Amino acid sequence: MTQAETLAREILLLSRNTLLVNLRFLDAALSQFTLTPAALPFATDGQRLYYDPRHVLLRYKEEKEQSVRDYLHLVMHCVFRHMYVHTLVDRPLWDLACDIAAEEVVNGLDLPSAAAKRQEGQAAALDRLRKEAGQLTAEKLYRYFLDHPPRDLEALGELFRGDDHTPWYLPPKDQAAADGQKNQNNGPENGISGDGQQNRDNERKSGENGGASASMEQTWKDIARRMQMDLETFSKLQGDRAGSLTQNLQAVNREQYDYTAFLKKFAVRGEVMRLDPDEFDYVYYTYGLKLYHNMPLIEPLEYREVKRIREFVIAIDTSGSTSGELVQKFVQKTYNVLKSTESFFSKINLHILQCDADIQEDVKITSQEEFDAYLKTMTIKGLGGTDFRPVFAYVDELRRGKEFQNLKGLIYFTDGYGDFPEKKPDYDAAFVFVEDEYNNPDVPPWAIKLVLQKDEI
């Protein structure tokens, strides 16, 4: 090893140890990397930390806090799993969004040893983005940039860049070319001992996103969950200072929901005219054996019982916070699920209610054709306050008037901020929340809760 490599490694180990002393909840994350000299200035694929010794030395000479900050910046990419992306419309915008999200968290930790000069230049841009985009997670920033492409993309990139993202997109077979002068000796003295020692021996699996390993993605997912739990419990003091980090962890660790499967839980059993090979009349079966000795007569039933949706209610919160295009997309998504032959009776009794603080509209749907017509002419009505109680009172009136014979449930699409009924209704009630800030809306014990992000709708 050259003297430059030795000094650069010492700087990186010093940076790691500095972070370990100040941020103990990062112990597992900081133990994942194998330090690997490479042609890349400073980068990671989630498993190896690639570095150009000259780059590390120059950064440290210029400002010693930069090394700690760059190291922490790179770790944040892994914790938030920024490299494990499968579909990208614009890679430069994703890279910028990831860098801004990482720097926002580093700033929030307020660590003196990572307070590099570039932090001062970021303040104005971060303030503006918080006002325009809200919470600064990579996903939200990326969607914001797609709708509002930054004019100063290069300048913003330089201001927030802490590492090279090239390994994120390389397939495994191209990693050797990217490594350049990579050290072939993978002993503990060349890396960071701990879980990384075992991880670097694992076979790298190819994913849609290129060089990022599928096995390492699960490792970082487990680390992120452990960090969130640690911040919310044992490291409460540190967690108070790490508000942005906690919010980002909640975002990346939140449970992913399948709305299609969720909707099918509201299916009811009914009879459909269809041959059922699993059931037959035993009278014919035994008669055939008696008459022909060895030939049973089997006549399958002309119907079978299947789970399909017949009666239910969709209630739409048309208050200002959930109005417009988002509501129409939700109805369209629900329709796409319902119109499949496996979950939709040819004749249904569906009521679509629009409600803010009062019932604004009730549209009855009995067929796919009526659903198609409704979608073409649908307009949002109301835009007042939010109160869930009128919907449940109205549905109870419909039930008393024999409008429903077997109402399975009600799906309420809302942002969650309203008054709930005090008592549980006689049917299942599910609240589908649209929540773009990764909060956890409170619901009564009897309510079923599903949280979807706007991009999932």
Side-chain angles (χ1 to χ4, degrees):
M1 291 172 47
T2 65
Q3 184 179 8
E5 289 176 352
T6 302
L7 290 174
R9 177 171 280 104
E10 289 179 359
I11 290 173
L12 293 177
L13 292 176
L14 177 61
S15 300
R16 181 206 66 171
N17 293 339
T18 301
L19 294 172
L20 275 174
V21 169
N22 290 276
L23 306 171
R24 297 304 299 271
F25 57 86
L26 282 176
D27 57 349
L30 293 167
S31 301
Q32 294 304 309
F33 302 111
T34 303
L35 298 184
T36 307
L40 294 171
F42 195 67
T44 186
D45 58 3
Q47 183 175 2
R48 297 177 177 84
L49 195 160
Y50 303 109
Y51 67 97
D52 179 357
R54 178 179 174 83
H55 172 82
V56 173
L57 293 174
L58 289 175
R59 296 279 281 185
Y60 186 79
K61 180 180 179 181
E62 179 184 350
E63 187 182 6
K64 64 179 182 180
E65 288 82 6
Q66 281 193 112
S67 296
V68 178
R69 189 180 186 90
D70 289 347
Y71 205 118
L72 185 55
H73 175 108
L74 179 142
V75 170
M76 290 299 107
H77 282 321
C78 297
V79 169
F80 301 139
R81 305 195 293 281
H82 289 160
M83 66 278 295
Y84 303 108
V85 290
H86 300 284
T87 341
L88 282 179
V89 177
D90 193 314
R91 172 178 159 180
L93 289 182
W94 174 249
D95 287 339
L96 175 61
C98 292
D99 283 335
I100 293 176
E103 289 291 297
E104 166 76 349
V105 171
V106 173
N107 292 340
L109 290 173
D110 194 24
L111 196 63
S113 56
K117 292 180 181 178
R118 70 174 186 253
Q119 180 175 343
E120 299 175 2
Q122 296 170 356
L126 290 174
D127 287 341
R128 175 176 58 85
L129 288 171
R130 288 190 201 99
K131 294 177 182 177
E132 296 175 359
Q135 184 182 342
L136 299 186
T137 64
E139 292 76 14
K140 286 197 64 178
L141 282 167
Y142 178 61
R143 293 196 298 269
Y144 173 78
F145 287 146
L146 287 177
D147 295 333
H148 308 86
R151 298 179 181 178
D152 51 347
L153 180 61
E154 290 297 327
L156 278 176
E158 287 296 325
L159 186 60
F160 289 94
R161 186 177 298 118
D163 64 336
D164 191 320
H165 299 170
T166 300
W168 297 6
Y169 308 102
L170 291 177
K173 64 181 180 180
D174 292 339
Q175 285 294 330
D179 292 352
Q181 52 176 336
K182 184 172 68 175
N183 194 330
Q184 298 299 320
N185 183 1
N186 282 332
E189 69 278 5
N190 292 325
I192 298 176
S193 61
D195 295 336
Q197 180 65 30
Q198 178 181 359
N199 290 330
R200 62 173 168 260
D201 294 330
N202 293 340
E203 178 181 358
R204 296 182 55 81
K205 299 177 182 178
S206 176
E208 293 180 49
N209 51 327
S213 164
S215 60
M216 284 305 301
E217 180 178 5
Q218 183 59 48
T219 298
W220 284 108
K221 188 178 298 184
D222 295 339
I223 290 173
R225 288 172 179 161
R226 172 181 165 181
M227 284 177 56
Q228 181 180 354
M229 183 174 61
D230 192 17
L231 284 170
E232 293 174 349
T233 54
F234 304 108
S235 301
K236 186 63 171 66
L237 279 178
Q238 184 65 62
D240 291 339
R241 198 163 51 124
S244 180
L245 173 58
T246 303
Q247 289 180 342
N248 275 266
L249 286 172
Q250 289 173 347
V252 76
N253 291 335
R254 75 179 184 87
E255 185 176 355
Q256 301 290 327
Y257 296 99
D258 184 347
Y259 179 63
T260 300
F262 178 79
L263 181 58
K264 289 182 178 180
K265 291 181 181 179
F266 286 84
V268 295
R269 289 194 173 272
E271 290 183 350
V272 184
M273 295 301 294
R274 181 188 297 178
L275 292 180
D276 187 355
D278 298 326
E279 298 186 32
F280 54 86
D281 193 330
Y282 282 94
V283 174
Y284 286 98
Y285 183 87
T286 55
Y287 177 73
L289 290 177
K290 181 178 179 180
L291 181 64
Y292 300 108
H293 302 292
N294 62 352
M295 183 183 294
L297 297 177
I298 299 177
E299 182 180 357
L301 298 180
E302 294 182 352
Y303 62 87
R304 65 185 302 181
E305 190 175 55
V306 297
K307 294 189 71 175
R308 287 192 178 179
I309 298 171
R310 187 189 296 276
E311 290 187 344
F312 63 99
V313 175
I314 297 177
I316 301 170
D317 175 8
T318 58
S319 63
S321 53
T322 54
S323 61
E325 183 182 2
L326 185 63
V327 171
Q328 293 179 321
K329 286 184 177 180
F330 173 76
V331 175
Q332 179 69 60
K333 186 177 182 71
T334 305
Y335 166 70
N336 291 339
V337 177
L338 295 178
K339 72 179 182 180
S340 65
T341 57
E342 291 303 317
S343 62
F344 203 54
F345 276 111
S346 57
K347 277 294 182 180
I348 63 168
N349 183 15
L350 164 66
H351 283 256
I352 302 179
L353 308 179
Q354 293 194 36
C355 178
D356 44 22
D358 199 1
I359 301 296
Q360 298 295 335
E361 181 183 66
D362 176 12
V363 176
K364 182 177 180 178
I365 304 292
T366 61
S367 65
Q368 294 188 33
E369 291 75 18
E370 291 180 3
F371 212 149
D372 288 333
Y374 173 74
L375 288 176
K376 293 179 181 178
T377 59
M378 179 184 180
T379 56
I380 303 301
K381 301 177 181 180
L383 306 181
T386 302
D387 191 343
F388 304 135
R389 294 170 295 183
V391 166
F392 289 90
Y394 181 74
V395 171
D396 288 341
E397 290 181 9
L398 294 177
R399 295 178 71 232
R400 286 192 293 267
K402 306 300 181 182
E403 174 64 23
F404 295 109
Q405 301 299 319
N406 184 20
L407 177 62
K408 175 59 179 176
L410 178 148
I411 299 176
Y412 210 128
F413 178 65
T414 178
D415 62 358
Y417 302 102
D419 296 321
F420 292 86
E422 294 182 0
K423 297 182 179 180
K424 179 186 183 304
D426 296 332
Y427 46 87
D428 292 334
F431 288 84
V432 177
F433 297 107
V434 52
E435 185 54 67
D436 211 25
E437 297 299 334
Y438 307 101
N439 294 327
N440 192 16
D442 293 326
V443 299
W446 49 263
I448 303 170
K449 180 173 69 173
L450 180 74
V451 181
L452 298 177
Q453 303 304 314
K454 290 182 180 179
D455 59 331
E456 294 173 330
I457 298 173

